[in-house]
Amino acid sequence: GLTSARAAEILARDGPNALTPPKSTPEIIKFLKQMVGGFSILLWVGAFLCWIAFGIQLAQGVSSAFDNLYLGVVLALVVILTGIFAYYQEAKSTNIMASFSKMIPQQALVIRDAEKKEVPAEQLVVGDVVEIKGGDRIPADIRLIFAQGCKVDNSSLTGESEPQSRSCDFTHENPLETKNIAFYSTTCLEAFLPGTATGMVINTGDHTIIGRIASLASGVGNEKTPIALEIEHFVHIVAGVAVSIGVLFFIIAVSMKYKVLDSIIFLIGIIVANVPEGLLATVTVSLSLTAKRMAKKNCLVKNLEAVETLGSTSIICSDKTGTLTQNRMTVAHLWFDNQIYSADTSEDQTTQSFDQSSQSWPALSKIVALCNRAEFKPGQGNLPIMKRVVVGDASETALLKFSEVVLGDVMDVRKRNRKLAEIPFNSTNKFQLSIHETEDPNDKRFLLVMKGAPERILERCSTIMINGEEKPLDEERAEAFQTAYMELGGLGERVLGFCHLYLPEDEFPDTYPFDTDSMNFPTSNLCFVGLLSMIDPPRSTVPDAVSKCRSAGIKVIMVTGDHPITAKAIAKSVGIISANSETVEDIAKRLNVPVEQVNKEDARAAVINGMELKDMTAEQLDEILINHSEIVFARTSPQQKLIIVEGCQRQDAVVAVTGDGVNDSPALKKADIGIAMGIAGSDAAKNAADMILLDDNFASIVTGVEEGRLIFDNLKKTIAYTLTKNIAELCPFLIYIIASIPLPIGTITILFIDLGTDIIPSVALAYEKAESDIMNRRPRHKKRDRLVNEQLAVYSYLQIGILQSIGAFLAYFTVYAEQGFLPYTLLGLRVNWENDYNNDIEDSYGQEWTRYQRTYLQWTGYTAFFVSITIQQVADLIIRKTRRNSLFQQGLFRNKVIWVGIFSQITIALILCYGLGSVTALNFTPLRVQYWFVAMPYAILIWVYDEIRKLFIRQYPGSWWDKNMYY
Amino acid sequence: MCGLCLTPPNFSPPPTTALILFFYLVFYGFLTALFTLTMWVMLQTVDPYIPKYQDRLSVPGMMIRPKTEALDVTFNVSNTETWDHYVKMLNEFLEPYNDSIQVATNDACRPGRYNEQPDNGVLNYPKRACQFNRTMLGNCSGLGDPTYYGYADGRPCILIKMNRVINFFAGANQTMNVTCATKKEEDAQKLGEMIMFPPQGHIDLMYFPYYGKKVHVNYTQPIVAVKFLSLEPNMDHNVECKINAVNIATTDERDKFAGRVAFKIRVNRD
């Protein structure tokens, strides 16, 4: 090995043997981003205008100057608090991730200074000689110089679920293929015989294969989520409206000879009225509520916005192993007595129901149970068989569990048929053999059992067991075997042959010394008993989930490193390729014509091999993605997965990608939503993903999609609800400027609506149930189906908003009229009204008012206006429950949270009005009870009008009304 | 070339736009009608003679004449232009108080008691008002006054009035008067002597109650004039006048004009 000094030198040169973590944005930048995002800029402008106005007014000695100072402070506080809130929400979801990436510091056994030493894996350098034993994680990329029984699990790197044996032989040019290199972060399997290996470190840290993939992943840009784009679009609309109305009225005010300072104050009012201050926080809360709900359904969302992305997904590129399948080999078919039997492959099988009456069956089952080195780990007696942990490779595990299910206690069977000799499976002879005593005390013969590659087993047989009797293996029977073998192989299953031989008692007496090296026993002319085929079967929930995806307009594409035949078989069994679809090859075979002559458009399905994909241009790939609705990519490499994702994104699709390996991380990152597996997933995959599937089950994605679609609909409702009252807040300012009436509602009061009464109701809409089966419609089009569309804005602003405004104005005029100022006296009154020194303004009855008396009346007006908006917002909340259905169809009481919202709304209004009515700074006054009811007719009208709107939409789908009134 | 050829006029916009315009025409037409209707209904419930609520006016405010920007009466004795507009304002204000008008339209009421005029069954029966003759303001009446309410000789008159409040029985059957003082006691010296008209700033009960603009057509508001006799010139004097009446609180922290009025007066002399 190296000397410590030399190692230290190299360490200094190459850096530690660890992956550089992806560059993360500094916390302070993240925080500041929240402070200037969304409406914040607009509110900052408002705040600064306030302070400017305060400065000027203070210099002029205006008594109300401090109002502007406070308002500015409040606006700044609103921005800062919502910023902190958003930052906190983001940090919270990031924290979930931090727990995943925590890794135990790894130790490596290295030879330095000619001594074996334990050093932290981080300190390994190129040239170090390390020793690895079963169960270890490989600490760096190493070239093996000694290996015994060493197998590595490369699944996280290459996606191959099969353990790969490793030796010191150089077998391939490609470092990924050759047998003498083991890769960083893969694991050396704890095999039956503890494998050991010694190797020399050839790459460390970021230079390792994993490191290169990781840097490939961080090189892939993170694009904005669809919901982020939607919210940006919405912010632009609202900010556009705010700024243009603000500037327009600033100009109007100036040209109406208002003082510039007054015009600036109007501008602030217009901005505050137009900006839904609480909305972005509400959206965040709604998303996190959904995220919580999804976590309960095993979808852990890392990035809140991904919640909705999942809902707009139009293509899911799914892994096969573990996601669609159970990720364990299971016996699927048996062949004996010239007949194929199907076995139960479900996750929780307890019995096998195929016909077991044949005489051949006991013989076959005995071979399966005996010729097997796998064992259950002890102490799992009360676990279901399928859940028990087994020591042994995948096929043997499958066979062990299978025989445990059909025979009962396999260990007992083995005990009764004591094993005398054994030859384990190896790649040269491709069979496994063992010799046993029989359990029948009268039968002194030994039983030789063998399993292995079917063709090799058949070669060694001269007879075949049919219905329990040995028959000569003639041409015809060999033909039948071939047919069965082909058929099972065609299902993508791994087939094993089983045979046995009772060794004659006279030749092999009790004491016969079996020697496995010299093979002093017959290994030919055996009796063929049957075939068993195994597959990693689909999860039982997957076919249903795939068909749900299909009806939801989501295309499911399988991308796997597996063999095309297996991939296709699984795709067929889960419905990714539907029963009556054919690939080009299928059609060619059916019509008996060359593949080239088949019209590609006739084939709905396509199975694309990684090798074919390699030679394809982007256009050809696009063509395949467009022309075929059912696609399976087999034998694909990680880079190809990325290419496939990019191809899908070129079709404007929102692509979800599932993955577990390190090799998947670039694709996960590139995807609109990357979904990592919680159980099988590697840390790198989890880091790159937006979402983690806790149960690795494809079906969970589908429930996630449903939640995502629901939240999109509900956010629409929330936004519609929130935008409506903006008009009712804005109109007062416009009328105030134009008609010069006393100000109907103050800026502070508006903030109390936006950040007080309206918050809980708008969150409550996130709990609304879907109006129809949202899984029966197509995914929304990223560019056409907007969150805030024209109809929503127009209906909220120009219809319900206006209705609300006039309802609130009615209350305003009522308050003033009943105090002595009839509506017409108010017109043009503003200048005198707001003159601090004018203390004898005459009302309609000849009475005279001081400034404070008027101010108090003005606050009463604010309160009445506020209460009216609140009351009408209750109606608005109720109508927003549905967009199409009648409220009676939806049910008024199904969403209880709505009622909590209404209750909170009214309670907050009551507290503000009566509890805080005496706090002057808040501009509320205790309002006479009857004013709460003035706007009630308008509230009822809002509801009736909306019911009529929905009725027409339902009655005349596709009509002009539907097109313009459905949002 | 073909000026007379009639091409079909292309005035029909795309039908959807037209429909939308039509829709909003109807919609807003309906809303206007609805708003008008509800406003009309609301106004029907409002009594035109007396407001429904007067809770805000429990304490009548006070004001001064001349009514100036920032309640600041500043003038230069020798510069007529600086006080000319005050005089004009006072003349205008006192016009209806001319004895001739008062005698012609109003009754000479019995002082010292309220001039109550019950409806006696006839709803909103017109009410008579009591005379407040301009001459009662003495040296501040501006009648035959060469000093123009004292502005010409630096001994200005300020008129003080109490805000009208319907059915308010000021003084609760006891006499009341208006007094003026500097805001800070130590400045009293500089303010000098004042003289009030009517004497002691007395406001008679007979001018109350006020029955409202509609029924009490010729109502004449009682006023008190204060004449500053020896103001120290070239300095600001902050004066506060308040009414001393049993049922008028003058201590409201927030309303600085409830039952009182504060103003600044400054006489500049060259």
Side-chain angles (χ1 to χ4, degrees):
Chain A
L2 297 173
T3 61
S4 298
R6 176 70 185 140
E9 231 171 81
I10 303 176
L11 186 66
R13 186 193 68 197
D14 291 349
N17 175 33
L19 300 183
T20 346
K23 258 183 223 140
S24 57
T25 337
E27 294 299 301
I28 185 74
I29 300 281
K30 279 192 204 163
F31 184 68
L32 288 178
K33 260 191 183 161
Q34 300 290 359
M35 292 287 159
V36 293
F39 296 117
S40 304
I41 290 280
L42 219 49
L43 292 177
W44 280 123
V45 169
F48 281 112
L49 288 179
C50 278
W51 290 326
I52 291 170
F54 162 70
I56 298 173
Q57 287 190 333
L58 192 69
Q60 291 176 346
V62 180
S63 66
S64 57
F66 280 90
D67 290 355
N68 285 318
L69 175 67
Y70 300 145
L71 182 60
V73 171
V74 168
L75 288 181
L77 273 181
V78 166
V79 179
I80 292 169
L81 287 180
T82 47
I84 288 175
F85 179 75
Y87 172 77
Y88 168 74
Q89 283 290 348
E90 201 187 274
K92 213 167 69 174
S93 51
T94 325
N95 274 346
I96 301 175
M97 280 323 297
S99 59
F100 273 104
S101 43
K102 252 182 244 155
M103 277 190 272
I104 310 144
Q106 205 191 334
Q107 296 286 321
L109 193 60
V110 61
I111 300 172
R112 290 237 179 112
D113 307 326
E115 271 175 55
K116 282 189 191 178
K117 276 186 192 165
E118 284 259 314
V119 298
E122 276 199 1
Q123 293 179 10
L124 286 185
V125 295
V126 174
D128 266 332
V129 176
V130 289
E131 273 190 21
I132 293 147
K133 58 182 192 309
D136 280 354
R137 246 173 62 140
I138 313 284
D141 282 1
I142 54 177
R143 182 164 50 78
L144 298 179
I145 46 184
F146 167 77
Q148 187 184 38
C150 174
K151 281 190 171 185
V152 288
D153 177 4
N154 271 357
S155 62
S156 77
L157 187 62
T158 59
E160 287 163 293
S161 47
E162 279 294 291
Q164 311 282 307
S165 67
R166 281 292 177 259
S167 62
C168 345
D169 309 325
F170 172 77
T171 57
H172 205 282
E173 288 283 330
N174 185 338
L176 278 171
E177 301 276 339
T178 184
K179 284 202 181 239
N180 63 340
I181 290 182
F183 298 105
Y184 179 41
S185 93
T186 60
T187 42
C188 180
L189 287 181
E190 211 173 333
F192 210 60
L193 287 172
T196 57
T198 310
M200 183 181 280
V201 175
I202 50 169
N203 279 318
T204 58
D206 290 336
H207 302 290
T208 58
I209 298 288
I210 287 279
R212 273 180 247 169
I213 292 176
S215 61
L216 182 62
S218 57
V220 175
N222 230 347
E223 290 183 20
K224 276 190 177 157
T225 59
I227 193 72
L229 290 175
E230 287 307 315
I231 287 173
E232 202 169 80
H233 174 238
F234 152 74
V235 167
H236 285 163
I237 290 180
V238 172
V241 170
V243 169
S244 43
I245 294 185
V247 168
L248 179 71
F249 274 83
F250 183 78
I251 294 168
I252 290 178
V254 169
S255 53
M256 280 176 76
K257 303 269 180 325
Y258 281 99
K259 279 184 262 170
V260 174
L261 185 65
D262 285 341
S263 308
I264 289 177
I265 294 173
F266 301 158
L267 182 62
I268 299 166
I270 288 172
I271 291 176
V272 172
N274 254 312
V275 173
E277 286 84 5
L279 187 58
L280 294 186
T282 314
V283 169
T284 315
V285 172
S286 304
L287 287 175
S288 62
L289 283 174
T290 305
K292 258 187 204 158
R293 214 154 27 182
M294 282 165 88
K296 264 189 210 152
K297 294 177 179 171
N298 291 321
C299 297
L300 188 64
V301 179
K302 238 174 85 181
N303 171 3
L304 274 189
E305 288 164 350
V307 167
E308 193 281 327
T309 315
L310 194 57
S312 48
T313 299
S314 52
I315 295 182
I316 300 176
C317 292
S318 177
D319 252 359
K320 181 181 77 70
T321 312
T323 315
L324 297 171
T325 65
Q326 302 172 15
N327 196 16
R328 62 152 183 253
M329 278 294 173
T330 306
V331 174
H333 291 98
L334 303 92
W335 179 79
F336 54 89
D337 295 350
N338 272 336
Q339 201 179 339
I340 291 179
Y341 298 88
S342 298
D344 181 6
T345 56
S346 64
E347 284 96 330
D348 48 0
Q349 47 179 292
T350 47
T351 54
Q352 287 289 359
S353 54
F354 61 89
D355 182 15
Q356 297 169 4
S357 57
S358 159
Q359 292 299 310
S360 309
W361 171 242
L364 179 58
S365 62
K366 192 175 255 180
I367 307 171
V368 172
L370 294 180
C371 190
N372 191 332
R373 296 170 9 131
E375 280 175 21
F376 289 111
K377 278 197 174 169
Q380 303 186 89
N382 38 13
L383 278 176
I385 294 165
M386 286 297 142
K387 295 238 167 75
R388 292 186 203 164
V389 179
V390 174
V391 183
D393 74 18
S395 309
E396 293 225 296
T397 305
L399 294 171
L400 173 65
K401 286 184 174 174
F402 176 74
S403 32
E404 183 85 7
V405 168
V406 290
L407 295 179
D409 194 346
V410 173
M411 296 326 267
D412 189 50
V413 175
R414 290 193 194 161
K415 221 178 278 166
R416 282 186 271 130
N417 300 271
R418 199 164 61 87
K419 179 159 44 178
L420 299 174
E422 172 178 60
I423 301 176
F425 186 87
N426 70 49
S427 46
T428 32
N429 47 21
K430 297 211 163 156
F431 66 80
Q432 178 180 348
L433 170 157
S434 56
I435 298 165
H436 301 259
E437 289 173 350
T438 61
E439 57 190 309
D440 184 353
N442 302 325
D443 191 349
K444 291 291 176 205
R445 290 178 300 172
F446 294 111
L447 175 62
L448 183 150
V449 289
M450 187 193 258
K451 75 164 188 237
E455 66 278 6
R456 294 294 182 87
I457 298 294
L458 196 74
E459 280 168 13
R460 294 174 185 276
C461 294
S462 54
T463 58
I464 184 165
M465 185 174 278
I466 305 284
N467 293 329
E469 287 166 39
E470 262 182 60
K471 299 277 170 73
L473 183 61
D474 52 22
E475 281 286 300
E476 195 188 329
R477 290 187 172 120
E479 190 67 25
F481 159 86
Q482 280 301 337
T483 320
Y485 182 27
M486 292 305 286
E487 188 173 341
L488 295 177
L491 292 172
E493 297 176 2
R494 183 190 300 165
V495 190
L496 286 177
F498 294 83
C499 63
H500 72 187
L501 181 70
Y502 282 97
L503 301 178
E505 204 176 340
D506 43 351
E507 277 179 58
F508 299 94
D510 254 352
T511 51
Y512 187 84
F514 289 103
D515 179 6
T516 53
D517 289 329
S518 59
M519 297 233 239
N520 54 356
F521 44 85
T523 57
S524 55
N525 290 328
L526 311 175
C527 170
F528 192 87
V529 181
L531 294 172
L532 252 73
S533 66
M534 287 162 290
I535 197 163
D536 177 11
R539 290 166 176 270
S540 51
T541 47
V542 169
D544 192 38
V546 170
S547 82
K548 262 191 180 169
C549 281
R550 197 162 290 227
S551 61
I554 303 170
K555 196 160 157 182
V556 182
I557 295 179
M558 182 196 278
V559 183
T560 175
D562 228 325
H563 199 271
I565 296 176
T566 319
K568 189 176 168 190
I570 294 291
K572 280 210 151 168
S573 64
V574 299
I576 289 180
I577 295 181
S578 45
N580 48 5
S581 310
E582 290 177 310
T583 62
V584 175
E585 291 77 16
D586 289 336
I587 297 176
K589 204 167 160 194
R590 176 165 55 86
L591 301 176
N592 218 350
V593 292
V595 173
E596 292 74 30
Q597 287 180 14
V598 177
N599 182 2
K600 280 185 184 156
E601 276 157 36
D602 292 345
R604 266 211 294 174
V607 178
I608 315 290
N609 199 311
M611 296 302 284
E612 299 170 50
L613 189 59
K614 210 170 176 183
D615 303 327
M616 272 184 206
T617 61
E619 289 74 35
Q620 283 171 313
L621 178 60
D622 288 356
E623 207 174 288
I624 285 171
L625 290 171
I626 295 166
N627 287 339
H628 302 283
S629 57
E630 302 169 346
I631 309 175
V632 170
F633 289 97
R635 282 258 176 257
T636 48
S637 70
Q639 283 78 3
Q640 289 180 327
K641 204 167 186 178
L642 190 61
I643 291 170
I644 295 166
V645 172
E646 283 168 342
C648 294
Q649 283 173 334
R650 275 198 298 276
Q651 324 299 320
D652 263 347
V654 176
V655 186
V657 171
T658 70
D660 46 17
V662 177
N663 56 341
D664 293 327
S665 49
L668 287 175
K669 203 128 195 212
K670 179 71 198 168
D672 295 283
I673 177 163
I675 304 169
M677 297 299 135
I679 304 168
S682 60
D683 290 334
K686 285 174 187 166
N687 273 328
D690 305 292
M691 214 178 89
I692 294 161
L693 220 51
L694 293 178
D695 59 355
D696 290 14
N697 189 348
F698 182 81
S700 305
I701 301 178
V702 179
T703 51
V705 169
E706 203 167 345
E707 289 292 343
R709 289 187 174 190
L710 183 59
I711 196 63
F712 185 80
D713 281 8
N714 285 347
L715 280 183
K716 244 183 185 185
K717 295 174 182 175
T718 301
I719 289 175
Y721 167 78
T722 314
L723 285 189
T724 305
K725 54 123 196 316
N726 278 4
I727 285 296
E729 292 167 353
L730 177 67
C731 282
F733 275 93
L734 308 188
I735 307 274
Y736 164 74
I737 294 169
I738 291 173
S740 279
I741 56 174
L743 187 60
I745 190 166
T747 335
I748 299 272
T749 324
I750 288 175
L751 288 175
F752 271 107
I753 299 177
D754 289 1
L755 298 169
T757 56
D758 260 11
I759 291 288
I760 299 175
S762 45
V763 172
L765 282 170
Y767 288 93
E768 200 52 51
K769 303 273 182 301
E771 281 176 67
S772 56
D773 191 354
I774 40 179
M775 293 305 276
N776 272 336
R777 58 177 197 228
R778 303 194 52 76
R780 76 182 181 90
H781 191 281
K782 214 162 36 166
K783 292 185 179 142
R784 278 199 306 267
D785 307 328
R786 316 283 340 219
L787 181 64
V788 176
N789 51 22
E790 197 187 315
Q791 289 90 332
L792 186 148
V794 165
Y795 183 66
S796 301
Y797 274 153
L798 296 184
Q799 298 185 26
I800 302 297
I802 298 285
L803 252 171
Q804 268 194 1
S805 310
I806 63 171
F809 265 106
L810 180 67
Y812 162 83
F813 282 120
T814 308
V815 165
Y816 277 78
E818 296 197 334
Q819 289 281 359
F821 288 94
L822 296 179
Y824 50 87
T825 28
L826 292 174
L827 302 179
L829 191 59
R830 189 191 70 89
V831 177
N832 278 329
W833 182 275
E834 289 180 355
N835 185 342
D836 281 342
Y837 299 104
N838 200 339
N839 283 290
D840 54 351
I841 286 198
E842 197 180 313
D843 67 14
S844 316
Y845 295 88
Q847 306 185 97
E848 290 166 317
W849 293 66
T850 67
R851 171 68 174 135
Y852 181 76
Q853 287 161 349
R854 297 194 306 265
T855 305
Y856 194 88
L857 176 57
Q858 191 176 328
W859 291 345
T860 312
Y862 289 180
T863 314
F865 211 95
F866 163 82
V867 163
S868 303
I869 291 181
T870 307
I871 294 289
Q872 292 179 94
Q873 277 294 82
V874 172
D876 191 24
L877 181 64
I878 291 174
I879 66 167
R880 300 301 183 181
K881 277 166 69 75
T882 59
R883 293 185 295 150
R884 178 185 292 274
N885 289 353
S886 161
L887 278 180
F888 301 107
Q889 286 170 292
Q890 183 80 349
L892 269 176
F893 300 99
R894 271 215 298 172
N895 179 358
K896 306 258 182 331
V897 189
I898 287 278
W899 292 97
V900 174
I902 293 175
F903 181 76
S904 78
Q905 204 167 13
I906 292 175
T907 311
I908 292 174
L910 284 171
I911 290 173
L912 285 174
C913 182
Y914 299 109
L916 302 175
S918 49
V919 182
T920 16
L922 301 183
N923 302 354
F924 283 97
T925 65
L927 200 64
R928 286 197 163 77
V929 177
Q930 73 264 32
Y931 294 136
W932 286 73
F933 300 94
V934 176
M936 211 69 106
Y938 282 90
I940 294 167
L941 180 69
I942 286 174
W943 174 66
V944 170
Y945 176 63
D946 196 62
E947 276 297 311
I948 292 171
R949 177 189 73 94
K950 290 170 190 162
L951 178 72
F952 283 168
I953 287 173
R954 290 195 304 275
Q955 290 288 312
Y956 307 105
S959 67
W960 172 85
W961 184 274
D962 186 17
K963 275 185 208 136
N964 285 287
M965 304 293 261
Y966 180 68
Y967 55 86
Chain B
M1 178 184 154
C2 181
L4 288 172
C5 295
L6 284 176
T7 48
N10 188 17
F11 50 49
S12 63
T16 50
T17 319
L19 260 175
I20 288 171
L21 286 178
F22 177 71
F23 170 80
Y24 279 101
L25 200 69
V26 172
F27 185 74
Y28 288 137
F30 169 73
L31 288 192
T32 315
L34 187 73
F35 183 62
T36 316
L37 176 76
T38 46
M39 283 292 276
W40 180 80
V41 169
M42 184 270 286
L43 289 176
Q44 290 312 297
T45 67
V46 172
D47 185 336
Y49 296 97
I50 181 165
K52 191 163 180 181
Y53 300 113
Q54 290 182 285
D55 52 313
R56 289 299 101 216
L57 297 177
S58 54
V59 179
M62 310 265 288
M63 258 307 262
I64 59 162
R65 288 293 182 276
K67 191 176 186 175
T68 60
E69 192 60 37
L71 300 183
D72 178 3
V73 182
T74 301
F75 63 96
N76 193 323
V77 176
S78 49
N79 186 352
T80 322
E81 271 177 33
T82 57
W83 46 263
D84 196 34
H85 57 286
Y86 299 142
V87 173
K88 220 180 251 168
M89 258 191 263
L90 291 175
N91 280 339
E92 253 167 56
F93 179 74
L94 289 177
E95 186 71 31
Y97 287 84
N98 282 342
D99 293 16
S100 53
I101 298 175
Q102 288 296 317
V103 171
T105 57
N106 293 349
D107 299 343
C109 306
R110 211 182 88 191
R113 49 162 252 186
Y114 292 121
N115 180 22
E116 278 184 275
Q117 302 171 65
D119 274 341
N120 288 333
V122 187
L123 211 57
N124 299 317
Y125 188 78
K127 308 289 190 288
R128 303 284 297 170
C130 297
Q131 290 177 10
F132 188 100
N133 291 321
R134 193 167 170 176
T135 44
M136 288 162 74
L137 296 178
N139 285 344
C140 285
S141 68
L143 298 168
D145 184 358
T147 63
Y148 298 102
Y149 305 96
Y151 286 85
D153 63 354
R155 304 202 297 177
C157 285
I158 301 286
L159 304 184
I160 296 154
K161 62 185 266 287
M162 189 163 72
N163 283 353
R164 290 188 294 265
V165 175
I166 292 175
N167 284 338
F168 180 67
F169 291 84
N173 239 336
Q174 290 167 44
T175 53
M176 56 191 154
N177 71 327
V178 173
T179 53
C180 293
T182 50
K183 273 205 169 158
K184 293 180 195 152
E185 261 175 55
E186 60 266 28
D187 294 338
Q189 209 64 48
K190 292 168 186 159
L191 188 67
E193 272 185 56
M194 295 170 277
I195 180 164
M196 314 285 282
F197 305 98
Q200 287 93 46
H202 175 75
I203 295 179
D204 202 281
L205 295 183
M206 70 180 173
Y207 300 107
F208 301 94
Y210 172 54
Y211 283 108
K213 191 156 88 169
K214 272 213 165 142
V215 288
H216 219 162
V217 180
N218 290 313
Y219 177 75
T220 309
Q221 213 169 351
I223 38 181
V224 168
V226 54
K227 188 174 177 72
F228 297 93
L229 298 174
S230 51
L231 276 177
E232 192 169 315
N234 303 330
M235 70 167 285
D236 288 346
H237 298 277
N238 288 309
V239 185
E240 189 182 74
C241 297
K242 61 178 185 189
I243 182 137
N244 303 300
V246 183
N247 61 350
I248 302 175
T250 57
T251 50
D252 194 319
E253 274 298 305
R254 292 186 193 143
D255 192 352
K256 302 286 183 208
F257 292 87
R260 60 203 147 144
V261 56
F263 57 92
K264 199 170 84 180
I265 190 159
R266 180 188 177 106
V267 179
N268 290 327
R269 285 179 197 272
D270 297 330

